[in-house]
Structures are given as structure tokens and as C-alpha cells.
Amino acid sequence: DDSEARRRRAAALFVEVIEVCVHTILCVRRVYPEAVFSRRRAFGIATYMSRHPELNAFIADHLAAARDLVAANAVDRVVLCVLDARGEPVERYAFEWHEVAAGGAEDDAAAADTEALLRALLIKLHHVDARLPPAPDDATFTLFLYSRDDAAVRTFVAAPESGWLDATDELAAGEDYFGAGTTHAPLLFAGKSVASPLVDFALNVYARRPAEAAR
């Protein structure tokens, strides 16, 4: 029906936005060298895109595989997690999915308003480096999918083509992990909502405090 088609369009745009944001974050936080990235336009603004085929495929394939789960409203949030050399989380970028409200017009005005909101989000991400402690040397990243429907997600993960795996409890603990100790106190600063008839989500950023700042 129309509501299902609307959710599918919103889910496709949500996944597309996350893909653009992931590339931007990996570049501005220097998880990969800047030379790996080239400039491209997305949502009316110049941003970054990796030129590494395997990295691009990893990001695109995993997000595309999750698109139907998002459309089914089985996903609570998708999280990009930056890890230090020991594999411990140091930053989390949580894209929280909200179901699009019924009744809004999906017209040119809504498209223009949505692009303006997404452009503002990307501008904020371009400057995230100034708001966070330096990323650790030898940082890596992973993606997490948090569910509203555990049964649907278990079925999804069990399918070999999904590409997703069950995470360890500690690594997937979520934002609460940063409350586990003094040096892991949460630093939440960049709540940014994008709410339109075309897509509705929020981005929240969490970071581990440097040990010296916690003393």
C-alpha cells in the first residue's frame, strides 16, 4: 500500500544518507588517510567519498542489505563505531531511525527542505573534528545495527547474504559503554534531527573522554 511504499522510499534515503555520512566521518576523523578520498557532491554540498573499492563495497553492501529491515521498522538505529588499536570503542555515531509521519506531502518543496536539512547535517559533520578529542592512531571502524524486532534481525543475520554478524555484548553495548568508567564518561554534543515528509531520523555523537580530561 501507499504507507509501505512511503516507508521504503524513506528507508532508501536513510541508508543513502548514512553511506554519505560514513565516508565523511572516516575522512574528517582520519580513520583513513585523506588521500584515500576524493571530493564529490551529495545533497547540494561538496563532501568526501572513498576511492578504495573494497572499503566502498563493505559500506554500501552492508547498508543496502539492511534497507528492508529499516523499511519494516525493525531497526532502532545504525551506528558507526570508531575503535582504537585495542578494538575498544572511542566514538559512536548513532543514526536513529524514526518512522515517517503519515500525511506529509512528498512534493518538490519537501524535497528542497529535506536537502537543506541534510546539507546542514553534512556541514556539521565536516566540522566534527573541532569538537572531538583527536582520533587515536591506527583507528578502525565497524557498523552496528540495533533492532526493535529481535526475531526479524536474528533471521536477517542468519542469512549468509546479509553480511552482518552477531556482535559481542561488550563491543555492542551501545552508548552505555561510555558510562562504564571515569575515562569512558559520555560526551554527547551533536544531536541533529532531520525530520521531513521524506525521511525522519536523528544523529547523536558519543565519544570517550581522554583520560587526562577526566582527572
Side-chain angles (χ1 to χ4, degrees), residues 134-200:
D137 294 334
D138 301 320
T140 57
F141 82 99
T142 191
L143 296 170
F144 291 112
L145 197 65
Y146 293 85
S147 70
R148 292 176 180 152
D149 184 338
D150 289 344
V153 172
R154 279 196 297 270
T155 301
F156 167 74
V157 170
E161 65 272 16
S162 80
W164 291 80
L165 302 171
D166 280 329
T168 63
D169 289 343
E170 182 176 349
L171 191 57
E175 293 73 47
D176 290 342
Y177 174 82
F178 293 125
T182 304
T183 62
H184 293 80
L187 177 64
L188 168 61
F189 73 89
K192 181 67 179 175
S193 294
V194 174
S196 86
L198 304 185
V199 69
D200 192 342

Side-chain angles (χ1 to χ4, degrees), residues 64-165:
R67 186 168 51 225
D68 287 346
L69 270 184
V70 175
N73 208 32
V75 170
D76 179 69
R77 64 196 186 279
V78 179
V79 176
L80 165 64
C81 186
V82 177
L83 310 172
D84 65 17
R86 295 175 298 176
E88 293 189 359
V90 293
E91 297 172 13
R92 302 180 76 93
Y93 300 81
F95 298 85
E96 300 175 0
W97 163 255
H98 305 150
E99 189 165 7
V100 173
E106 296 180 278
D107 54 17
D108 290 346
D113 289 345
T114 302
E115 183 172 278
L117 291 169
L118 296 176
R119 188 162 57 246
L121 172 66
L122 284 169
I123 289 171
K124 196 158 194 173
L125 281 179
H126 282 195
H127 297 286
V128 74
D129 209 40
R131 302 287 304 278
L132 288 171
D137 294 334
D138 301 320
T140 57
F141 82 99
T142 191
L143 296 170
F144 291 112
L145 197 65
Y146 293 85
S147 70
R148 292 176 180 152
D149 184 338
D150 289 344
V153 172
R154 279 196 297 270
T155 301
F156 167 74
V157 170
E161 65 272 16
S162 80
W164 291 80
L165 302 171

